[in-house]
Amino acid sequence: ITGKVSAGYTWVTPKLPLSPKFHGASYALNLTARPTEALQLDIIASRSASASNLADVAYTITDLYSLQANYVLSRSLSAQAGVSYQKQNMKGSPVNSPFAQADYDLWNANAGLRYTWRKVTFNVDVSHARRGSQLLFQQFNDTRAGVGVSLGL
């Protein structure tokens, strides 16, 4: 297992009148584990708060959690899969419209295969994202599929 961890304390003091302040913990964790010779797992967890440059948002708090896996099936074939979750809370002045501050949850899932033949790599992948929000026009489901070829020189 390899990785790094950082922790801190964040102060966000907006200048916008009646805006709430934020004082709280922030952290980042990034670990890579290799339980077997063929399997690698990457784990990420973080929380951050940052000032915003939007007129109706004083600051945002973002939480992110991710798990990615890479499994080597043979010398030339590997499979990848992953899932992540991101939550963003936007805080602003109560003077502004509460509908302008749209907290959201974003889920992502992905899977793919990579095949290498000599110096040519072929890959196929599929991903799906789902965003939930208090505002209907900011909600979405998105599925994408891709095929790629690359040449190493």
Side-chain angles (χ1 to χ4, degrees):
I1 294 178
T2 61
K4 70 178 185 179
V5 176
S6 62
Y9 194 83
T10 304
W11 291 267
V12 179
T13 309
K15 301 283 187 205
L16 192 62
L18 302 174
S19 292
K21 298 176 183 175
F22 176 78
H23 299 253
S26 58
Y27 60 86
L29 167 73
N30 192 340
L31 295 177
T32 298
R34 216 175 243 286
T36 68
E37 196 63 32
L39 178 63
Q40 177 177 320
L41 299 172
D42 295 312
I43 300 164
I44 296 172
S46 68
R47 181 176 200 220
S48 63
S50 59
S52 173
N53 62 356
L54 300 174
D56 58 343
V57 177
Y59 65 89
T60 60
I61 301 171
T62 304
D63 294 297
L64 173 66
Y65 306 98
S66 173
L67 173 64
Q68 300 291 323
N70 186 45
Y71 190 78
V72 177
L73 299 161
S74 70
R75 241 178 88 130
S76 53
L77 182 64
S78 64
Q80 300 80 35
V83 64
S84 67
Y85 171 74
Q86 179 177 330
K87 180 175 185 67
Q88 188 163 41
N89 293 320
M90 299 181 186
K91 305 295 183 190
S93 171
V95 174
N96 293 329
S97 167
F99 298 109
Q101 301 162 23
D103 298 346
Y104 69 82
D105 296 306
L106 179 63
W107 286 93
N108 285 296
N110 63 290
L113 290 172
R114 182 176 299 132
Y115 178 76
T116 303
W117 177 71
R118 297 188 185 191
K119 292 188 175 192
V120 180
T121 301
F122 303 91
N123 58 36
V124 295
D125 58 65
V126 63
S127 65
H128 180 75
R130 186 181 81 213
R131 180 175 170 167
S133 175
Q134 297 167 344
L135 302 178
L136 289 177
F137 67 87
Q138 289 188 352
Q139 297 177 7
F140 67 80
N141 284 311
D142 179 44
T143 302
R144 297 174 188 223
V147 176
V149 177
S150 62
L151 174 64
L153 299 175

